[in-house]
Amino acid sequence: MRFVRVFVAAVMVLFLSKHVFAQSADSAVPRAMTTTEKAAMAEKVKAEALRSWEAYKKYAWGHDELHPLSKKPFDWYGSTLLMTPIDALDTLTVMGLKPQADEARTLIDTKLNLDQDIYVKDFEITIRLLGALLSNYELTGDKRLLELADELGRRMLPMFNSPTGMPYEYVNLHTGAVRGTKSNPAEIGSLLIEYGMLARHTGKQEYYDKAKRALVELYKRRSPIGLVGSEIDVETGKWSDPTAGIMGGIDSYYEYLLKAAILFGDQDCAKMWRDSETAIDKYLADRRPDGLWYGYADMNTGARTHTFYGSLDAFFPAVLVLGGDARQAADLQDSSYKMWNLAGVEPEQLDYAKMQITAANYELRPEIIESTYYLYHSTHDAKYLAMGQTYFDALHKYCRTDEAYAALADVRTKKQKDSMESFFFAETLKYLYLLFAPESTLPFDSVIFNTEAHPMQRSAGLK
Ligand code: DMJ
């Protein structure tokens, strides 16, 4: 009898410990954070931003980026376009780091040289530099920032001079020469927020029209089942890679259809988004016993080609929230969170059917945090704050260096690599901060963030 009692007790202990363990490992603990705890978290994020900014200043001031392990400056094109100061400026402002924001703005106002004989990638320069110049103009009223944005826009415009109107991948800022006929939906279709805002602030409609035409020309080339592929020739308009998905290279094309519809009240964009959303849901969403994922498919047949999902795909819950589908967003976010917890930091790519990491690097990417911020805003569910705490703790534990932060070469070994991209300041730290900061810091419904997290004021604009 005694043996039976001991046996039953042992089974119960085992059951309970397994149950408790499963809860804490599989899901964020949904304990409400107090206002004081939230404020303390926001302060912690701000302190880390300040520390990394000081490291940038110490070792790379005036250059595009800091390489955080070698402590050397790095310029993307051999000469500087002030990538980090420009991308970081609105984050410094939002965090209330005024002296740092002022010195960054003075540097930009006086030192940014756009008249350089270099071929730049339209997409990156548009989302990081043009987006940031416009957003900071709105935040500060500094007219020099708008002048620079207009100059940059003018130098970039030749990129649209292809037979289809879809932009070449690179444009020379000095000569206006273009190169790179093979491009992808993200690079072609993620320009309208920035050029639309530039049109709004300068009154030059041409900016809006060219970026919109590129988006429409791309959409027109969708397959009969409504999907786009991964690579297209901007001169012939022919697809050279029919792989569809929401992954990097396609991602922000979808994001901009929805956001341009909201920001500019553009009904064409609204329709293109609705059509695309239907196709995405039908062919890319993958509802499995372990949860909701989004994989790759052939754009023509809709047949599943890969069960890949990764750190870039984790932007999609944010888009779903903005599109009004918070339920689906929450399900996908749970999967992203599983991906994060597999190795304690998310990998660049995962085969979700096997739960195997297929690309093990982590580039300090923001998307999973961005989606957490959107979901917290729309639900106020404490589990999203707990998720944010998990990301912060992991970043602090594995990516923090003696003076800044570094990407990881391998999330399994946590080996660091010598990279701290400017989006770490523009997006990762900003979204993490906004998740914990009071809503009044940057009222969510008053802005649309571009894909580099630069907030654009919502108000009646051009159509
Ligand atoms: C950023 O430059 C942007 O968020 C872009 O849309 C995707 N890649 C990086 C961040 O991961």
Side-chain angles (χ1 to χ4, degrees):
M1 191 60 193
R2 187 166 172 268
F3 170 77
V4 171
R5 271 204 308 269
V6 169
F7 179 76
V8 169
V11 168
M12 280 191 70
V13 165
L14 256 176
F15 172 79
L16 280 175
S17 60
K18 185 160 183 271
H19 185 66
V20 169
F21 175 77
Q23 277 226 334
S24 56
D26 292 352
S27 57
V29 183
R31 183 183 71 78
M33 245 185 214
T34 64
T35 310
T36 316
E37 284 171 330
K38 276 177 69 185
M41 275 305 297
E43 280 308 306
K44 279 189 188 177
V45 177
K46 180 172 165 177
E48 295 307 306
L50 179 58
R51 182 176 173 277
S52 300
W53 174 253
E54 293 298 337
Y56 164 77
K57 269 177 61 185
K58 185 167 166 192
Y59 299 108
W61 185 243
H63 292 276
D64 282 340
E65 282 173 12
L66 165 66
H67 276 177
L69 301 183
S70 59
K71 297 178 182 167
K72 294 270 192 302
F74 170 68
D75 292 315
W76 283 29
Y77 302 107
S79 56
T80 186
L81 285 169
L82 300 180
M83 211 75 81
T84 292
I86 296 177
D87 229 2
L89 179 53
D90 55 17
T91 298
L92 298 172
T93 301
V94 163
M95 290 182 175
L97 293 167
K98 190 160 182 338
Q100 290 74 14
D102 285 347
E103 66 189 339
R105 189 153 58 86
T106 303
L107 178 75
I108 297 161
D109 282 352
T110 57
K111 291 282 182 327
L112 178 60
N113 175 18
L114 296 170
D115 187 13
Q116 298 193 51
D117 191 2
I118 49 176
Y119 283 84
V120 299
K121 208 161 206 217
D122 332 319
F123 168 75
E124 298 292 355
I125 297 305
T126 299
I127 66 167
R128 299 191 199 213
L129 299 197
L130 186 55
L133 289 169
L134 289 161
S135 172
N136 284 289
Y137 164 64
E138 290 189 332
L139 283 170
T140 63
D142 178 350
K143 291 219 160 47
R144 175 73 186 135
L145 297 175
L146 180 59
E147 272 170 31
L148 287 166
D150 194 15
E151 181 188 345
L152 181 58
R154 181 172 50 74
R155 290 182 183 282
M156 305 271 293
L157 271 186
M159 71 188 177
F160 292 110
N161 295 342
S162 74
T164 63
M166 293 191 285
Y168 291 93
E169 251 198 323
Y170 293 89
V171 62
N172 185 301
L173 287 179
H174 177 66
T175 64
V178 290
R179 67 160 71 132
T181 57
K182 293 274 175 17
S183 192
N184 59 59
E187 298 192 25
I188 293 166
S190 314
L191 306 166
L192 185 53
I193 291 180
E194 296 78 5
Y195 287 92
M197 291 305 286
L198 189 56
R200 176 185 288 183
H201 287 301
T202 60
K204 297 178 184 169
Q205 177 73 26
E206 181 188 20
Y207 287 131
Y208 191 94
D209 293 344
K210 292 209 158 156
K212 177 158 174 199
R213 179 175 172 216
L215 195 56
V216 170
E217 290 295 327
L218 178 66
Y219 172 77
K220 275 174 23 190
R221 288 167 174 83
R222 72 196 182 284
S223 69
I225 60 169
L227 293 173
V228 293
S230 296
E231 191 182 74
I232 191 165
D233 189 308
V234 302
E235 291 188 336
T236 64
K238 299 268 177 272
W239 292 99
S240 42
D241 184 342
T243 311
I246 57 160
M247 68 289 210
I250 297 183
D251 45 8
S252 46
Y253 158 62
Y254 291 128
E255 178 185 346
Y256 273 38
L257 288 177
L258 175 62
K259 288 184 172 177
I262 299 169
L263 187 58
F264 304 115
D266 188 312
Q267 293 309 311
D268 299 331
C269 291
K271 181 180 180 316
M272 293 190 285
W273 159 250
R274 280 195 301 273
D275 290 352
S276 304
E277 189 190 17
T278 306
I280 293 169
D281 195 53
K282 186 160 178 195
Y283 299 107
L284 304 179
D286 196 350
R287 293 174 181 82
R288 305 172 71 86
D290 71 327
L292 173 68
W293 299 90
Y294 282 64
Y296 299 7
D298 183 289
M299 67 181 273
N300 296 306
T301 64
R304 177 80 52 217
T305 54
H306 294 95
T307 45
F308 291 154
Y309 186 85
S311 53
L312 284 161
D313 306 62
F315 81 107
F316 205 60
V319 172
L320 289 168
V321 168
L322 204 57
D325 197 348
R327 186 62 259 151
Q328 180 111 335
D331 289 348
L332 185 57
Q333 185 65 17
D334 287 347
S335 297
S336 297
Y337 193 58
K338 265 183 215 149
M339 171 173 74
W340 182 280
N341 285 323
L342 204 57
V345 178
E346 65 180 0
E348 184 77 356
Q349 193 188 68
L350 170 77
D351 184 336
Y352 57 78
K354 301 182 186 142
M355 283 312 266
Q356 266 171 18
I357 293 172
T358 44
N361 50 314
Y362 171 62
E363 303 295 335
L364 296 172
R365 291 199 191 283
E367 287 78 4
I368 194 170
I369 304 173
E370 171 185 5
S371 289
T372 306
Y373 165 59
Y374 276 65
L375 271 159
Y376 179 66
H377 177 269
S378 89
T379 65
H380 285 102
D381 186 334
K383 92 180 207 185
Y384 296 114
L385 296 178
M387 281 186 187
Q389 173 93 54
T390 303
Y391 310 137
F392 177 82
D393 290 346
L395 285 168
H396 195 272
K397 185 165 178 192
Y398 302 121
C399 302
R400 198 174 196 258
T401 67
D402 57 347
E403 294 191 70
Y405 274 75
L408 299 180
D410 192 320
V411 295
R412 295 161 300 196
T413 61
K414 312 295 186 300
K415 186 178 172 2
Q416 294 183 338
K417 64 184 265 197
D418 202 8
S419 165
M420 181 174 66
E421 289 240 26
S422 64
F423 56 68
F424 178 61
F425 287 101
E427 300 190 73
T428 312
L429 290 166
K430 185 189 286 142
Y431 285 131
L432 206 44
Y433 180 76
L434 288 174
L435 175 64
F436 297 109
E439 165 82 21
S440 57
T441 307
L442 186 65
F444 183 89
D445 295 317
S446 68
V447 298
I448 287 289
F449 293 94
N450 84 338
T451 194
E452 189 78 2
H454 298 304
M456 307 290 170
Q457 290 300 323
R458 291 194 201 190
S459 57
L462 294 167
K463 214 170 62 73

